[in-house]
Amino acid sequence: GGGGGGGGGGAASLVRDLSESDLSSLGAEPHVLAFGDVDGLEALAEATYGQVVVGRAPAALAAKYGGKEAPAVAMLPFGAAEKAAKKAVPFAADAAGLDAAKKGALASLPDSLVDKLGQGSPDMFFSAALTQTAAKAACLLFSDKAEVPPIFRSLSMAFEGQMQFGFAPPAMMAQFNIDRAPALLVLWNENEGKDEQDAQAGMKLTGARFMPQVHGKFSYGNIAAFVASVVEQRLQMLGAHAGGAKPAGGEGEGGRGKAAGAGKDVGPPPELSAANFEAECTQRGGLCAVALLDGGPDNGNKEAQLAVLAKLRRRGAGGPLSYSWLDATCHTDFVAAFGLGETDLPTMLVLSPGKARWARSVGAFDAETLAAFGNGVAAGRRATESIDAVPALQEVDCASVARGADAVAEDDALGDEIMAEILEEERREREAREAEAAAAAAAELKRATSVPPCG
C-alpha cells in the first residue's frame, strides 16, 4: 500500500523491530536486516520507504542469516518470505555495506506489472487500462532510464488491479505534451460513462499530472498519495455514472473487488470502549482498523479526523477492514501497549486479533494514505509486528480523565508534594547532622580548655 509523505503526529521510526517470530512470517517485500548495533538505518528506511522493509533483528540470529557475527547486515530479496534464511545475502555492517544491501533489495523488486511501452502505438495498453481496471485509468511514467525505477515497480504492486502501469521512453513524450523527464501522468477516457452519442465519438484521453511543486518531491509516499487520490476520484466518477454503484473488479482489496455495500450509508464509525471492544474488534473477524485520536475537548481537529474515518468506513463496507476509533488520551494503557503515546496522534492501528499481529500507519492522516495503508496490510504487502495478545480495554470514565495541560498540572502537583517531602526529610537530616556536629565540637572544645589538676 501507499503512505503519505506528510506528518500527522509525532515522528515515528520507519525501522521495524523484528523478533524471531516476525522473521518467520515476513511479507513478500525485500528486507534489509540489521543484527546488533548498525548506524544509518533510519536514513535507509526513509530513502526506501514503501519499497524495502528495514528492520532490526536479534543479534543472536546474525549467523543464521548470512554466517557472520553481529554487528551484521543481511538483505532478503523480494519474495524470500519463508525461505528468508536461505535466500539472505550478507553485507558488512557499515555505510558501504548498507548501500550495497539497499541496491540489491531495490533491484529485486519485480517489474512484471509494468508495461514497457515502445515507440509504436500504445493502443493495446490503453485498451486494457481503460476497460479492465477498477479505476479504468492508466499511470504512465516517462523516463530516460533504461530500467523501470524501483518506486514505480512498488507502485504497480501497491495499486495492482486499480489501474494499469506503463513505462514510456522519451520518444513518446511529444505525444502527451511532456517537455521533460521524469514525468508521471494518470490518464482516463473523458467519455467513459457518458451517453451513447458521446461514447460513439471515441476515446478522449484526459488526466492529471504529478507536479512536484504541488505534490512534493518524487518520493514513494508522495506519488502513492497522488495515485490514491486519483483512484478515489475515478471510483466516485464511475459510481455516479453507474447510479451510485462502485465498479466491481477481480478479487482482493483496494478497489479490485468492492463489496456491493461499498458507498452506502453505514453510519458513523463507533468509538471503542470496554463495553463494545469485543463486538467491534476482537470477535468481529477480519481486521480492526482503529484510529487513535485525541478525544479531549481541546482537540479542534477531532471532527475532521472522524470525517476521514467515516469516508474510509463508507468505502470499505463489506470488506476485510472494520473501522472504529479510540480516545487515545483516555485509554493510555492500551496505546502504550503498542509503544505509542500522545505525541504519535492521530494515527491508525490495523489489528489482527486472531493472529495477534498489528501494524501502525506512518504519514498523513488522510483518506488516501490510510486507505492505501489498510489495503496493503489486508493484502499482505505491509509487514506486521507480533504482540502477545491484543490488550483489553479497561472501563474508564473518559469525561473525568485529565488531559494535556491538566494532566501535566496534576503530575506537577504530585511532583511538588513528593519534592516537598524529600526536602523536608533532607532538612531534618541536615539539622540532625548539624546538631551532632555542634555537640562534638563543644565536647572537643571542653577537652581542649580544661585545666589539668595540680600534682
Side-chain angles (χ1 to χ4, degrees), residues 23 34 52 59 66 69 71 104 107 124 146 162 166 180 202 206 247 260 300 352 373 384 399 410:
L23 292 174
V52 177
E69 292 183 354
M124 285 186 63
Q162 297 182 52
R180 68 181 67 179
T206 188
S352 173
F373 162 71
T384 57
E410 280 194 7

Side-chain angles (χ1 to χ4, degrees), residues 8-10 271 290-306 309 324-332 335 341-348 365 398-399 401-407:
E271 179 183 359
V290 183
L292 303 182
L293 307 179
D294 178 359
D298 295 333
N299 179 13
N301 296 318
K302 177 181 164 186
E303 293 308 315
Q305 291 160 358
L306 287 174
L309 195 63
S324 57
W325 73 281
L326 180 71
D327 186 344
T329 55
C330 172
H331 295 278
T332 52
V335 176
E342 188 170 347
T343 57
D344 297 302
L345 308 181
T347 189
M348 177 176 280
F365 193 90
C398 290
V401 171
R403 310 166 192 259
D406 293 335

Side-chain angles (χ1 to χ4, degrees), residues 32 35 60 69 77 80 101 175 178 202 227 237 263-265 278 314 342 365 382 389 391 412:
V32 173
F35 302 89
E69 292 183 354
Q175 282 180 256
I178 299 297
V227 171
M237 274 187 230
K264 72 178 184 179
D265 184 12
E278 287 196 1
R314 232 175 9 252
E342 188 170 347
F365 193 90
R382 297 296 293 265
D412 286 348

